[in-house]
Amino acid sequence: MSASPSILSVLSEDLLVRVYGFLDPPCRKTWRLISRDFFRVDSLSRTSIRVLRVEFLPALLLKYPNLYSLDLSVCPKLDDDVVLRLALDGAVSTTRLRSLNLSRASAVRARGLETLARICHALERVDVSHCFGFGDREAAALSAAAGLRELKMDKCLSLSDVGLARIVLGCSKLNKISLKWCMEISDLGIDLLCKKCKDLNSLDVSYLKITNDSISSISMLPKLEVLDMVSCPLIDDAGLQFLENGSPSLQAIDVTRCDRVSLSSLISIVRGHPNIQHLKASHCVSEVSASFLHHIKALKHLKTICIDGARVSDSSLETLSSSCRSLTEIGMSRCVGVTDIGMMGLASNCLNLNTLNLACCGFVTDVAISAVAKSCRNLGTLKLESCHMITEKGLQPLGSYSKFLQELDLTDCYGVNDRGLEYISKCSNLLRLKLGLCSNVSDKGIFHIGSKCSKLLELDLYRCAGFGDDGLAALSRGCKSLNRLILSYCSELTDTGIEQIRQIEHLSHLELRGLKKITGAGLSAIACGCKKLAYLDLKLCENIDDSGFWALAYFSRNLRQINLCNCSVSDTALCMLMSNLSRVQDVDLVHLNRVTVEGFEFALRACCNRLKKLKLLAPLRFLLSSELLETLHARGCRIRWD
């Protein structure tokens, strides 16, 4: 007797796509495995993928013909040869691709980029940030993608004005470009960019050594909405004043750490752009003056203001908050003069506040936090690092009123104790919690977090000396969604607690630095249970023997970054690790006393075609073979000699 047809088979493809869209990612995976209909729907409807292994790339492109976005940023062994083979494979189609992420793909050079630009006709967004080998030749190759709208080239240190000129001449439709840390770009390149790409609406020139001449050119962009120029040391007030009557569409500007910028130039920007929504001037304004506040009153649509490091007063905060009631984000970390009175006034006026940064505001007490919690019911992010006067009395109203709180930073708040964590645990939507250096926190307090904050994604317990195995067991049982966990220097932790981490299956980032009591048994348990682990810090874990590293080599195939400094790994175990961890790209190998020069040589040869960053002791520069070092350099690996 033949099997009865699936009920799904009577549904149209459109209905199946709609049903599939309501499923969360784990459920989608399950249905794909048990239903041919959903397997087909997934193949046709998926528009983006992140590839982890380059050998699967052709098959994935065949399986998903309607891809719009392709992320190859964590794909080791990606180079020009792979791209050329892809182009020669007639069955593989890339004509629909609009977004391509090649961040840190240092081995893809001009030949590969030219091929990609040729076969991806619809390409609109490209990210080549942190590509060690991206220079003028590569920029010239990429300029063949004439339809580019967005381009991110952060920290492409070899890119000069010549390469940027090729880009802007070939890609005149650009409307968003980021040149952060491209240190060879000068006023000449920025001027040409502004003349040829008139449709630019977002520009990031942070950390560049450009002068006021560049700001003059930027001010001529009629559609510019977002300008980021963090830490531009040569820009001063005269440069920013060009913007007063220029860039008429400007909505957001960031001049954080521009040392030569003062309030006078910010006033000119405010005066010329009354509809500006986001103003960030952290660590460049010494004081919030009456003149600045007078002009800020005109910004009725202001949503974000960051004045970290400035001197403020209670009256200035009252004026600011009463004038700009639409504020949703306020940054005042390290501001001198922030008191409870000023914060109470701010809280009563800015009822829509979502993000508040009061880090290192030492005079803020429980009174201010209570006022913020009671008035700002939509608060989503609260940063209180080093606010030493905060106690459980301030955290109690947070637990009662801040039901939408998702991120809370209490780093170095030594007034926080177990009772305070009990109150915080009532914030059931909490996703990120930082408790580093909170010395009065113990297992009892962590138990409350583990039992009630089931949605938690990130938890930082750096140097929480009172926290031990029982607390970690409670976290492992209750916080199954954790993907980032920092336990460095929690000296009471042993294998008994560490072994419980294996229950957190989604964990991808784990820091265990300085845990002297864990051994190979604890690390083996983590390796067996946490298969998604991508980042692991084992620095100064001196009692882990080779058994733990063998387990890591066998089970943790998704590891991309690992720190083994001061570990007791042997030649054999290191070679096995570097050989088996086929996705590892960033490794710290300093002070490995049991590893010989030959051990380093063999281990690095096993992974030299995929490493992008490597840290070694300086003497090894003269002991390792020149052939190996040349190969690493040719593959785009950056070596830091310690």
Side-chain angles (χ1 to χ4, degrees), residues 2-18:
S2 60
S4 58
S6 165
I7 189 174
L8 297 175
S9 62
V10 302
L11 299 178
S12 68
E13 194 167 277
D14 289 342
L15 285 175
L16 283 172
V17 169
R18 292 185 66 183

Side-chain angles (χ1 to χ4, degrees), residues 212 235-242 260-266 268:
N212 294 337
I235 303 296
D236 58 23
D237 291 341
L240 282 190
Q241 285 171 359
F242 285 118
R260 297 188 180 186
V261 169
S262 69
L263 275 179
S264 64
S265 57
L266 290 180
S268 67

Side-chain angles (χ1 to χ4, degrees), residues 58-252:
L60 288 169
L61 291 176
L62 282 173
K63 182 180 178 181
Y64 302 112
N66 297 319
L67 285 179
Y68 285 174
S69 177
L70 179 61
D71 186 348
L72 301 173
S73 61
V74 294
C75 193
K77 301 182 181 179
L78 183 66
D79 57 18
D80 289 348
D81 291 337
V82 172
V83 174
L84 292 173
R85 287 198 298 271
L86 200 64
L88 293 174
D89 189 342
V92 174
S93 175
T94 55
T95 54
R96 291 177 179 266
L97 274 182
R98 296 181 182 176
S99 177
L100 183 61
N101 189 345
L102 294 171
S103 175
R104 302 186 188 278
S106 299
V108 178
R109 300 295 177 90
R111 191 170 50 132
L113 289 169
E114 185 179 8
T115 303
L116 285 170
R118 188 179 70 251
I119 65 175
C120 302
H121 307 297
L123 209 55
E124 295 181 353
R125 292 178 294 276
V126 173
D127 185 350
V128 290
S129 300
H130 303 279
C131 285
F132 179 72
F134 190 93
D136 294 340
R137 290 183 64 244
E138 285 68 30
L142 190 57
S143 67
L148 274 186
R149 307 278 183 174
E150 299 179 16
L151 181 57
K152 191 172 183 180
M153 298 189 288
D154 296 352
K155 220 164 190 178
C156 290
L157 300 178
S158 300
L159 179 69
S160 73
D161 292 335
V162 175
L164 182 58
R166 296 295 298 270
I167 290 284
V168 300
L169 291 174
C171 310
S172 58
K173 297 179 181 179
L174 279 173
N175 55 41
K176 184 176 182 179
I177 187 168
S178 180
L179 299 167
K180 188 186 301 183
W181 283 112
C182 294
M183 304 305 291
E184 297 299 317
I185 300 296
S186 70
D187 292 336
L188 185 64
I190 298 299
D191 183 58
L192 184 60
L193 171 67
C194 296
K195 287 179 177 177
K196 295 296 182 181
C197 299
K198 291 293 186 181
D199 291 331
L200 273 181
N201 57 43
S202 179
L203 174 61
D204 192 339
V205 293
S206 298
Y207 304 99
L208 301 192
K209 293 181 180 180
I210 53 175
T211 70
N212 294 337
D213 291 340
S214 286
I215 306 302
S216 176
S217 301
I218 291 170
S219 68
M220 304 304 292
L221 292 170
K223 299 181 181 180
L224 188 67
E225 297 178 1
V226 179
L227 175 59
D228 292 317
M229 41 184 292
V230 176
S231 194
C232 290
L234 303 181
I235 303 296
D236 58 23
D237 291 341
L240 282 190
Q241 285 171 359
F242 285 118
L243 295 174
E244 180 175 357
N245 299 312
S247 300
S249 302
L250 196 64
Q251 297 289 314

